[in-house]
Amino acid sequence: MTHTAIPHEPTANSALLAKARAFRALHDSARQHGAPLVLPNAWDTASARLIEDAGAPAVATTSAGAAWGLGTADGDRLGRDRALELIARIAAAVRVPVTADIEGGYGDGPEEVAETVRGVLAAGAVGVNIEDATHGGAAPLRPAPEQAARLAAARRAADAAGVPLFLNARIDTYLTAAGPDEEARLKDTLERASVYVEAGADGIFVPGAVRPETVRALAEGIAAPLNVMAGPGAPSVAELGALGVARVSVGAGIAQAAHALVREAAREILTAGTYATLAGGLDYGELNSLFGRG
């Protein structure tokens, strides 16, 4: 696998350190006050600036949205170089901290994951999500000890750079429906979470888990901030906070909604020859001013 062309330095600059500390503090505050850190997910510089402008204290990327925006399918197909190039553009476009979805780490072994993390820091992001799904491998999930070694390598890389990177370990037991039933799935998730936290994870992300009973059990059983992925039909942010959730993101949800609008508008114009779908668009001057900020 080729390495990114983005250079990285052995020590962090003060701006990167400040953002890393601020991002970590957002999680501490969320747990202390029972009000989740809400991270609408961006996939390019435009969506990142819009999310920041809406008041988000940090910007999270979505690997699916990023891959689609670059003409690639999701599922570890984007590659390290293209992912890091996009992360660097997004981090440079906003003032708030950025946390990057780097899928499985873009590498076969722990050292390649560490190289990706070094590239993420060089790109200006201060958090990462690393998932344990294999996307077409021999099993839907990596064995927990193997994934722990990858997380530990990511932790060492960040520590060596002197950056308190927020390492969010994603567990895909619910997305892949791993295990014969809910009880087995919950048990596997809690066991994996314990191993991943021991390996150096700062937070645990369990997408696909939205049932209140499940979310509460996860929050109570995991010794780290719990991140869930919400969307239509999921409990509200306030309800998730009451269940013990510290961080709420939406994955590719906003990107999916945006792409749905593009297709709907195109079909209306091409078939009916009308433009109703375009009503409610953001003002040209507002957008031009926002994106021309520098």
Side-chain angles (χ1 to χ4, degrees), residues 129-235:
N129 283 3
I130 301 179
E131 64 195 51
D132 57 9
T134 58
H135 299 292
L141 303 179
R142 296 182 189 277
E146 178 183 326
Q147 181 67 2
R150 298 166 72 84
L151 294 170
R155 176 86 279 151
R156 288 193 299 272
D159 290 347
V163 181
L165 176 85
F166 195 94
L167 176 54
N168 210 29
R170 176 173 139 175
I171 302 176
D172 278 355
T173 43
Y174 284 85
L175 277 188
T176 60
D181 52 39
E182 168 66 20
E183 182 179 357
R185 196 169 301 130
L186 177 60
K187 181 174 183 291
D188 186 17
T189 304
L190 292 174
E191 289 175 350
R192 284 175 176 269
S194 178
V195 172
Y196 297 170
V197 170
E198 181 67 24
D202 297 297
I204 297 295
F205 180 26
V206 189
V210 292
R211 291 179 60 249
E213 300 84 354
T214 300
V215 172
R216 186 181 297 280
L218 291 171
E220 292 176 350
I222 295 174
L226 174 65
N227 179 186
V228 300
M229 184 171 69

Side-chain angles (χ1 to χ4, degrees), residues 257-272:
H259 297 326
L261 177 61
V262 171
R263 183 165 67 179
E264 183 182 357
R267 284 178 173 172
E268 181 194 2
I269 295 167
L270 292 169
T271 57

Side-chain angles (χ1 to χ4, degrees), residues 245-259:
V245 172
R247 174 168 157 176
V248 178
S249 51
V250 294
I254 298 176
Q256 289 171 271
H259 297 326

Side-chain angles (χ1 to χ4, degrees), residues 5-184:
I6 299 174
H8 55 266
E9 300 173 354
T11 56
N13 61 47
S14 58
L16 190 68
L17 278 173
K19 286 185 176 180
R21 290 167 180 156
F23 188 57
R24 187 171 289 274
L26 289 171
H27 292 81
D28 295 338
S29 176
R31 297 190 85 187
Q32 180 180 351
H33 298 106
L37 168 61
V38 180
L39 297 176
N41 298 79
W43 62 96
D44 60 9
T45 56
S47 58
R49 281 200 175 171
L50 287 166
I51 288 167
E52 179 188 39
D53 188 63
V59 169
T61 70
T62 159
S63 65
W68 298 335
L70 294 173
T72 303
D74 187 31
D76 268 331
R77 301 180 189 181
L78 184 58
R80 179 194 291 151
D81 289 350
R82 296 178 76 196
L84 292 179
E85 182 182 358
L86 179 60
I87 292 165
R89 289 203 301 269
I90 290 174
V94 297
R95 300 183 179 97
V96 297
V98 171
T99 181
D101 179 352
I102 57 171
E103 305 187 69
Y106 302 119
D108 294 330
E111 181 47 42
E112 289 175 303
V113 175
E115 180 66 16
T116 299
V117 168
R118 288 189 284 270
V120 167
L121 295 174
V126 294
V128 292
N129 283 3
I130 301 179
E131 64 195 51
D132 57 9
T134 58
H135 299 292
L141 303 179
R142 296 182 189 277
E146 178 183 326
Q147 181 67 2
R150 298 166 72 84
L151 294 170
R155 176 86 279 151
R156 288 193 299 272
D159 290 347
V163 181
L165 176 85
F166 195 94
L167 176 54
N168 210 29
R170 176 173 139 175
I171 302 176
D172 278 355
T173 43
Y174 284 85
L175 277 188
T176 60
D181 52 39
E182 168 66 20
E183 182 179 357

